[in-house]
Amino acid sequence: MINSILFLLLLIAGIGFFIRNSKKIIAAVHLGTPLPKVDRKKERWFQMLRLAFGQQKMHRNLLVGVLHLVVYLGFIIINIELLEIIVDGLIGTHRVFKGLGRFYNFAIATFEVFALLVVFSVIVFWMRRNLLRIARFWSPEMKGWPKSDANWILIIELVLMGLFLTMNAADYTLQLKGHEAYPLAGSFPVSGLVVPIFQNFSLETLVLIERVSWWMHIGGILFFLNYLYYSKHLHILLAFPHTFYASLEPKGKMANNEIVTSEVKMMLGLPTEPVTAEEVSFGARDVHQLSALQLLGAFSCTECGRCTASCPANQTGKLLSPRKIMMDTRDRATHLIEKGDTVKENFLLDHYITREELWACTTCNACVEECPIGISPMSIILSMRQYITMEEASSPSELNSMMTNIENNGAPWPFNSEDRLKWID
Amino acid sequence: MAEYAAEGKSPEVLFFVGCAGSFDQRAQQVTKAFVKILNSANISFGVLGKEETCTGDPAKRAGNDFLFQMQALTTIETMNAYGVKKVVTTCPHCFNTIKNEYPSLGGNYEVLHHTQFLKQLLEENRIQIEGGSFKGKKITYHDPCYLGRANGVYEAPREIIKKLEAEIVEMKRCKKNALCCGAGGAQMFKESESGKKEINHERSEEVNASGASVVAAACPFCNVMLNDGATATDSSVEVKDLAQLIVEAADL
């Protein structure tokens, strides 16, 4: 009885805290301009299926793709066991679904095999990240918390799998020893290997190991659920909505601002309906002027750095790193949600992202092409450039000359439009 | 176009020459080569000439949507007045802009990059390449960002190289993974930010490592960047647009 109450409290605390954090994320995303009306639903579901469920872009590197798939499937499949853990915890039963017989044995065996595969994958990931000098894991923005965050995620996953297997091993040993509270149930191809060691332990010790692992396992899962908000690991949830909402247009297409269209049409004497807007501003100086999709992207980003590794500016030593653009955007949005606009002048532009970074972009779309879940760091760069040029008129002077040339001569160079046909000579 | 309109005719296709194609010396050579091919294939085409103006691409990428839309709406007015249905251009930036960003402003055309157009002409045997002056030569192809990743056109340019009977050697980074030449996003018009290296030098090193004697370009800006890159890396690899390669092979 006491155990059931304790369990209920733990569950309520874990889920309650998670709901609180989820609301913060939703509020942060809604700092941006609203998502457009959802069109082309079929294509969107397909894009989600392809990128998020199918992880299509992860398989470009086969080894990493397969390992990532194992961890992802393991995460989903092993968590089916949560159902039983929750029922057991709430009503004080033990392995309540054991009546399912062969199906139950098959399920437990599957969970065990996946747990082992996850352990293997996570160890390989840890080695890739810490022992191999893969450049994208060692960029300047990956110092401090981002680096330890990545390792903590791997460690927590390892510990959770370890607890799951330990719990099963102790349970199975008790079953074999004929302990009355542990009737035969389940099939244990992996944890069964530990039985020879556990066999020498007393019944009390084994029950203690089993109980402690059981509680730590469920506690660990609830901890991890709430750790997500503070970590880069939110992609396990947000990759799904992000790939649904992500652009379906050709990557080269930049949207046209309707207010500008209306103004220009009036200037050119073309028929137009004036667009009424309360506050007209162009581009983004802060997260409020970015779109909800761009902010959702920032929270979905798992800082893998494929974008940065493919960025021509970054590869040639410029300050720009597309991953940092996403991290900065998230940091700023989180700051606003957690602490409010404490220091008025600390906008995303300048305080987080410098102009030098923004102007180094060649808009080549390599970062967008690379992102496994369809995030576009480039779109944020272009939004911020638009602010600098249209609101401040402070773009680099060479670009100002280029734009003056277009205005005066209809070409980015100071040539006379009368000479447009000179190539014929 | 004005001359066609005066006769009450409209040509099959509008060749949008672009600012580089009109003014830049290297790009002018490409314009001439493309026109030679159009003439030899008996394509009726027009150009806007003095009525042509920048599509607005560099202004938009530099953050000036106002100037972009001024250019775009002006150009759309002109093209719609001539009843343009089909546009072909030798510049991937013009191509991307007219194809993707003009429709919502009232400019709806069938837009082709010249490599797509040339591939069609070759397939329909409207131009014939004889003699095989490139037979057995190694040619590599540099994917322009605004043709490749931006619009998914990877195969048409490569088909042309195959028709030249040349051997395509791919660079380490090609197609979706192709490295930018460094000119896009209005970088063409400014010095690059400080770093360890110029992007076009990095790309030219890949060109040189491919073992090709010619690098085929399909964008006037890539053309300039790769040519500068070749000079900077002391390379003898020739930079040529696909239209120029066809003119050479067909001896037009």
Side-chain angles (χ1 to χ4, degrees):
Chain A
M1 191 60 196
I2 285 216
N3 280 344
S4 293
I5 293 169
L6 272 178
F7 185 82
L8 183 67
L9 290 177
L10 180 69
L11 202 61
I12 290 173
I15 293 175
F17 203 63
F18 176 67
I19 292 173
R20 178 176 156 269
N21 285 339
S22 303
K23 281 185 177 162
K24 281 191 198 168
I25 296 170
I26 293 168
V29 167
H30 284 110
L31 289 174
T33 55
L35 292 165
K37 220 177 121 226
V38 176
D39 57 349
R40 300 158 75 180
K41 279 196 184 145
K42 237 189 208 165
E43 289 168 72
R44 294 189 177 282
W45 284 112
F46 185 67
Q47 178 162 268
M48 188 207 272
L49 209 64
R50 201 163 51 80
L51 295 180
F53 283 98
Q55 303 174 7
Q56 188 193 44
K57 291 202 174 180
M58 290 300 293
H59 304 303
R60 288 170 300 188
N61 177 333
L62 199 63
L63 172 75
V64 172
V66 169
L67 294 178
H68 185 267
L69 191 68
V70 164
V71 175
Y72 161 76
L73 286 178
F75 165 77
I76 293 175
I77 292 172
I78 298 168
N79 277 338
I80 299 175
E81 170 74 352
L82 264 185
L83 267 179
E84 183 174 53
I85 290 173
I86 290 172
V87 176
D88 281 348
L90 287 176
I91 60 176
T93 46
H94 184 68
R95 294 192 179 268
V96 67
F97 296 142
K98 60 178 174 289
L100 294 171
R102 281 173 63 188
F103 177 75
Y104 184 78
N105 293 349
F106 173 74
I108 298 291
T110 309
F111 300 157
E112 287 224 332
V113 171
F114 267 105
L116 184 68
L117 289 172
V118 169
V119 167
F120 173 75
S121 305
V122 164
I123 291 172
V124 175
F125 281 155
W126 187 90
M127 293 196 297
R128 274 176 62 82
R129 196 170 273 275
N130 294 284
L131 305 182
L132 302 182
R133 303 296 291 191
I134 297 171
R136 65 185 161 99
F137 295 139
W138 299 88
S139 315
E141 69 266 21
M142 293 313 283
K143 294 206 171 83
W145 173 244
K147 173 109 191 134
S148 45
D149 178 25
N151 282 326
W152 275 119
I153 292 164
L154 295 173
I155 291 166
I156 295 170
E157 281 169 353
L158 200 63
V159 169
L160 284 177
M161 291 303 107
L163 288 167
F164 177 73
L165 290 171
T166 310
M167 164 185 106
N168 277 356
D171 195 313
Y172 188 40
T173 314
L174 286 161
Q175 290 179 22
L176 293 176
K177 288 193 175 217
H179 192 291
E180 57 189 19
Y182 295 88
L184 280 172
S187 167
F188 305 91
V190 177
S191 63
L193 302 173
V194 190
V195 170
I197 304 169
F198 276 21
Q199 223 155 15
N200 306 323
F201 296 170
S202 70
L203 288 180
E204 291 75 23
T205 313
L206 286 169
V207 172
L208 188 72
I209 293 175
E210 195 277 330
R211 283 292 88 195
V212 169
S213 315
W214 187 92
W215 279 97
M216 283 181 67
H217 177 246
I218 181 68
I221 287 173
L222 292 171
F223 169 78
F224 195 45
L225 185 67
N226 285 294
Y227 176 81
L228 293 182
Y229 175 72
Y230 306 95
S231 108
K232 70 183 192 70
H233 211 51
L234 274 169
H235 78 297
I236 61 171
L237 305 174
L238 298 184
F240 297 91
H242 188 270
T243 48
F244 181 79
Y245 285 110
S247 169
L248 297 170
E249 300 290 340
K251 292 188 181 65
K253 180 175 174 176
M254 251 181 103
N256 298 318
N257 186 312
E258 285 174 23
I259 299 167
V260 174
T261 309
S262 172
E263 272 186 44
V264 172
K265 279 188 174 172
M266 274 195 277
M267 281 184 64
L268 296 175
L270 299 168
T272 174
E273 283 172 31
V275 178
T276 46
E278 283 176 19
E279 199 185 334
V280 181
S281 76
F282 302 107
R285 172 198 232 176
D286 210 347
V287 291
H288 308 91
Q289 295 125 358
L290 291 174
S291 74
L293 177 63
Q294 288 169 321
L295 297 182
L296 180 60
F299 281 88
S300 311
C301 171
T302 197
E303 299 168 15
C304 72
R306 285 176 175 80
C307 51
T308 293
S310 71
C311 173
N314 188 276
Q315 286 172 55
T316 52
K318 278 81 174 180
L319 208 54
L320 173 63
S321 162
R323 166 171 56 191
K324 180 179 169 291
I325 300 287
M326 300 319 297
M327 292 167 73
D328 287 341
T329 304
R330 176 174 173 179
D331 286 348
R332 172 62 177 160
T334 305
H335 182 90
L336 285 173
I337 288 298
E338 287 287 343
K339 303 196 176 112
D341 206 355
T342 42
V343 185
K344 284 282 178 224
E345 299 303 313
N346 287 357
F347 303 116
L348 182 60
L349 177 62
D350 294 332
H351 191 69
Y352 291 80
I353 299 172
T354 61
R355 288 159 200 252
E356 185 177 341
E357 293 165 65
L358 298 173
W359 292 114
C361 174
T362 68
T363 71
C364 76
N365 263 307
C367 56
V368 190
E369 182 69 49
E370 276 295 322
C371 181
I373 57 170
I375 298 170
S376 175
M378 194 183 98
S379 76
I380 295 181
I381 294 171
L382 288 171
S383 299
M384 297 185 80
R385 281 188 181 184
Q386 206 169 77
Y387 176 84
I388 295 172
T389 302
M390 291 182 78
E391 294 288 333
E392 292 185 339
S394 61
S395 38
S397 61
E398 297 150 296
L399 292 185
N400 280 334
S401 315
M402 175 271 288
M403 290 186 275
T404 310
N405 288 331
I406 293 181
E407 269 184 76
N408 297 338
N409 312 318
W413 298 288
F415 293 118
N416 193 327
S417 63
E418 289 298 313
D419 297 339
R420 280 229 172 222
L421 287 171
K422 280 215 165 155
W423 56 269
I424 293 172
D425 307 332
Chain B
M1 288 303 281
E3 286 162 29
Y4 276 103
E7 293 172 30
K9 291 185 202 161
S10 70
E12 189 182 329
V13 58
L14 167 71
F15 170 29
F16 196 94
V17 181
C19 301
S22 302
F23 298 122
D24 177 83
Q25 276 190 351
R26 291 187 65 85
Q28 281 177 339
Q29 301 307 314
V30 178
T31 306
K32 285 185 193 172
F34 185 56
V35 165
K36 268 186 194 166
I37 300 169
L38 292 176
N39 284 332
S40 97
N42 283 321
I43 307 288
S44 80
F45 71 97
V47 295
L48 292 173
K50 294 168 188 174
E51 290 179 279
E52 190 182 284
T53 175
C54 172
T55 59
D57 162 82
K60 195 172 180 76
R61 268 75 197 165
N64 196 337
D65 205 33
F66 191 84
L67 180 56
F68 163 73
Q69 294 203 30
M70 284 289 284
Q71 295 302 117
L73 285 162
T74 311
T75 303
I76 291 168
E77 278 296 295
T78 313
M79 295 208 285
N80 286 353
Y82 286 120
V84 170
K85 302 257 177 329
K86 189 171 176 179
V87 182
V88 63
T89 171
T90 49
C91 172
H93 296 263
C94 299
F95 165 72
N96 175 69
T97 305
I98 302 174
K99 177 173 160 283
N100 293 321
E101 288 158 13
Y102 280 16
S104 76
L105 300 172
N108 295 288
Y109 320 100
E110 181 193 348
V111 190
L112 291 172
H113 184 250
H114 74 304
T115 55
Q116 297 173 306
F117 195 75
L118 290 171
K119 179 191 157 232
Q120 282 178 10
L121 293 182
L122 285 166
E123 278 173 357
E124 292 162 8
N125 281 322
R126 290 174 79 172
I127 31 173
Q128 262 142 22
I129 305 174
E130 278 165 33
S133 57
F134 289 102
K135 198 165 191 168
K137 261 198 174 179
K138 285 184 179 171
I139 297 183
T140 189
Y141 171 67
H142 168 79
D143 289 275
C145 304
Y146 276 78
L147 192 61
R149 275 186 294 270
N151 288 292
V153 180
Y154 300 107
E155 290 312 317
R158 290 181 167 78
E159 291 294 322
I160 294 174
I161 298 177
K162 277 182 204 154
K163 296 265 191 218
L164 293 171
E165 296 181 46
E167 184 191 340
I168 306 183
V169 285
E170 294 289 359
M171 282 181 262
K172 199 175 86 201
R173 287 174 277 194
C174 61
K175 297 180 184 172
K176 284 184 174 179
N177 300 323
L179 182 72
C180 175
C181 73
Q187 298 291 347
M188 183 72 196
F189 307 100
K190 63 186 261 300
E191 288 299 315
S192 56
E193 319 304 312
S194 63
K196 288 196 291 261
K197 201 175 186 179
E198 292 298 336
I199 296 172
N200 59 333
H201 296 180
E202 170 96 0
R203 187 54 164 170
S204 288
E205 283 169 12
E206 269 183 29
V207 170
N208 304 343
S210 74
S213 56
V214 176
V215 51
C219 167
F221 302 109
C222 298
N223 201 321
V224 170
M225 293 306 254
L226 292 175
N227 198 55
D228 292 351
T231 311
T233 56
D234 273 331
S235 160
S236 58
V237 179
E238 285 183 284
V239 185
K240 283 189 175 154
D241 189 274
L242 284 161
Q244 291 172 297
L245 294 179
I246 292 179
V247 167
E248 265 184 54
D251 200 17
L252 296 175

